[in-house]
Amino acid sequence: MGRNKRGAGGYRSFDYLTPGRDFRERDLADRTDSLPQHPVRLPPADEARARRLAGELVLVSLHEHLIAVPEAIDETPASIREGRSFVPFDALADCEWDCVFDNLLDGICRIESRSGWKWTEVLHDLGMRLADLAHQDYLVPAKTVDDILAAHATGRIAWVPAIEGAAPIENELDRVEVLYGLGVREMGITYSESNALGSGLKEANDGGLTAFGRRVVQRMNQVGMLIDTAHCGDQTTLDVIEASRKPVAITHIGARALWNTNRMAPDDVLRACAGRGGIIGIEAAPHTTLTKQHPRHNLESFMEHFEYVKDLVGIDHVGFGPDTLFGDHVGLHRVYAGALSIRKASGGAAFDPVKYVAGVENPVEGSKNILRWLVRHGYSDEDIGKAMGGNALRVLREVWA
């Protein structure tokens, strides 16, 4: 359906409750015009082609956060402690993604603790989102590839809950199945910091995948959950790829050859992922996928990483995981600088700071502009179909039970 989404019929998050009585109401950045727009302009024939492709193809984002943060970004911690995050349903009616892997609050999930990532917090976050979604039928939870295809056919968005790091399972292997039973279909091994499974990307020494980590990889294979290594150290990622019987995803990453920080992946890791049938999603969170040619983060620097990875591993193993949200993403990084490990993960690399990533500011803008960029640069319908969703669907058919 692409552009012809049916929308949520005016439903707003937690409409079944009374604002002010049941929860505190805040001004949210829940519109696509909360930041300046930078649409990719196309000649009429190319625009018609882009519209056609948006309707025909199944477009999959491997990594997003479908939340609207408060307009006053410093209010975010207080808002999160109240235990609700808000989905901008009205804005998403204009989104061209047919399937979104939603990583919820993840790195800023501090509902009842100072450090976050507690098992009870993650379950609270997931359960609250499921309760919200149960009162509308536009974002539909997807557990199978057929669910994704059905959402596309009916003008809806397939919603796949994902957990960005496995720290919440602690040393409890069966929690993988608990999460799976609650609909989680993708989980990261680490989130920057090391845990019981392996080393995160901000660690000075990468000890690789632990014995418990190998058991988790095996259990995720058995149950049918996609493994993500986007925040793992290099050796841990290589160990995961080797240990997994099924393809692995690096859902939101870029090429270290273009921007030399730990947040990007070196060529050998990218090749290893592709060599075992996996997929690499290109990241667009602020100040990540920069390049020497494009030192200010924008759509062009983001797509330079896409083209580098595509040339390195082939069009069959690349996709998009923009990692966007609605609101001041740069401000959110400032508020949660320690939790999100921005400086640690970048190795302190200098960059030209931006207020937002022009052209990939939120899931709506990203879905439109990535497709149009590919059209403008002469990619074939077949290659656009692979990169925008076909490769992801191939991997999911191999991984999901």
Side-chain angles (χ1 to χ4, degrees):
M1 295 291 288
R3 296 180 60 84
N4 302 313
K5 292 292 194 297
R6 62 192 297 277
Y11 177 81
R12 295 177 64 84
S13 274
F14 307 110
D15 255 357
Y16 55 92
L17 299 177
T18 302
R21 185 188 69 189
D22 297 315
F23 63 88
R24 179 177 174 180
E25 198 167 21
R26 286 181 168 86
D27 291 332
L28 300 173
D30 56 357
R31 307 176 313 280
T32 55
D33 61 355
S34 62
L35 291 170
Q37 305 293 285
H38 295 83
V40 173
R41 305 293 186 186
L42 296 174
D46 284 348
E47 177 60 28
R49 180 181 172 223
R51 288 173 178 266
R52 173 179 61 79
L53 290 172
E56 293 176 357
L57 301 175
V58 180
L59 309 183
V60 179
S61 172
L62 289 165
H63 191 97
E64 304 283 9
H65 297 271
L66 295 186
I67 59 172
V69 296
E71 288 279 11
I73 195 64
D74 289 313
E75 292 184 9
T76 304
S79 177
I80 288 172
R81 282 194 295 273
E82 293 169 13
R84 299 181 191 277
S85 57
F86 295 82
V87 178
F89 290 101
D90 287 347
L92 288 172
D94 203 28
C95 186
E96 294 187 356
W97 296 123
D98 296 295
C99 173
V100 173
F101 281 70
D102 182 4
N103 287 259
L104 306 166
L105 290 174
D106 274 2
I108 58 173
C109 190
R110 297 176 168 187
I111 297 167
E112 60 191 48
S113 73
R114 294 181 62 184
S115 299
W117 288 110
K118 304 300 183 287
W119 176 245
T120 52
E121 291 176 313
V122 169
L123 293 188
H124 181 114
D125 186 26
L126 175 61
M128 194 67 76
R129 181 63 57 83
L130 287 167
D132 195 17
L133 296 190
H135 289 80
Q136 53 82 60
D137 64 353
Y138 177 47
L139 265 65
V140 290
K143 300 176 181 178
T144 67
V145 172
D146 284 345
D147 290 340
I148 296 173
L149 300 180
H152 166 75
T154 56
R156 294 170 168 87
I157 296 176
W159 178 82
V160 182
I163 307 297
E164 205 159 344
I169 74 170
E170 299 176 301
N171 62 342
E172 302 289 345
L173 185 61
D174 290 350
R175 285 182 178 178
V176 172
E177 289 167 81
V178 173
L179 291 172
Y180 183 88
L182 294 171
V184 174
R185 291 296 182 270
E186 180 246 293
M187 182 169 67
I189 296 298
T190 68
Y191 183 79
S192 296
E193 295 180 348
S194 295
N195 58 28
L197 285 72
S199 296
L201 58 82
K202 81 172 188 178
E203 304 292 350
N205 299 304
D206 185 349
L209 192 65
T210 66
F212 179 67
R214 291 180 185 278
R215 294 175 65 199
V216 172
V217 166
Q218 181 183 28
R219 185 62 58 88
M220 291 176 74
N221 284 169
Q222 290 171 320
V223 78
M225 186 184 291
L226 182 63
I227 298 170
D228 179 25
T229 63
H231 281 272
C232 294
D234 297 342
Q235 187 59 52
T236 297
T237 298
L238 291 170
D239 288 351
V240 170
I241 293 167
E242 181 183 7
S244 178
R245 293 184 291 101
K246 297 183 179 181
V248 167
I250 311 177
T251 63
H252 54 301
I253 202 76
R256 196 174 298 172
L258 295 183
W259 194 247
N260 187 21
T261 71
N262 288 349
R263 188 62 191 86
M264 305 290 98
D267 287 0
D268 64 327
V269 168
L270 298 171
R271 288 195 186 99
C273 178
R276 296 292 292 273
I279 185 170
I280 298 141
I282 306 303
E283 159 86 75
H287 307 128
T288 55
T289 41
L290 303 170
T291 71
K292 292 180 180 178
Q293 185 174 347
H294 298 101
R296 282 182 66 81
H297 203 186
N298 57 21
L299 178 65
E300 294 302 322
S301 62
F302 167 72
M303 294 305 292
E304 188 178 345
H305 279 264
F306 163 76
E307 293 207 301
Y308 180 91
V309 176
K310 179 261 300 180
D311 291 342
L312 181 73
V313 303
I315 191 67
D316 293 327
H317 300 283
V318 67
F320 297 99
D323 193 7
T324 63
L325 47 78
F326 290 85
D328 184 359
H329 204 161
V330 174
L332 193 73
H333 282 182
R334 172 182 56 79
V335 172
Y336 288 98
L340 299 179
S341 306
I342 303 304
R343 286 289 179 182
K344 288 281 188 180
S346 69
F351 52 80
D352 187 5
V354 296
K355 293 183 178 179
Y356 53 87
V357 183
V360 205
E361 305 86 48
N362 57 59
V364 174
E365 288 299 295
S367 68
K368 295 174 181 296
N369 284 339
I370 295 168
L371 175 62
R372 280 156 180 75
W373 191 99
L374 293 170
V375 168
R376 188 176 68 185
H377 286 79
Y379 281 78
S380 68
D381 287 9
E382 180 182 7
D383 284 353
I384 293 174
K386 289 179 177 181
M388 293 294 295
N391 294 334
L393 294 178
R394 171 187 60 78
V395 170
L396 296 179
R397 287 188 178 99
E398 294 186 54
V399 173
W400 284 359

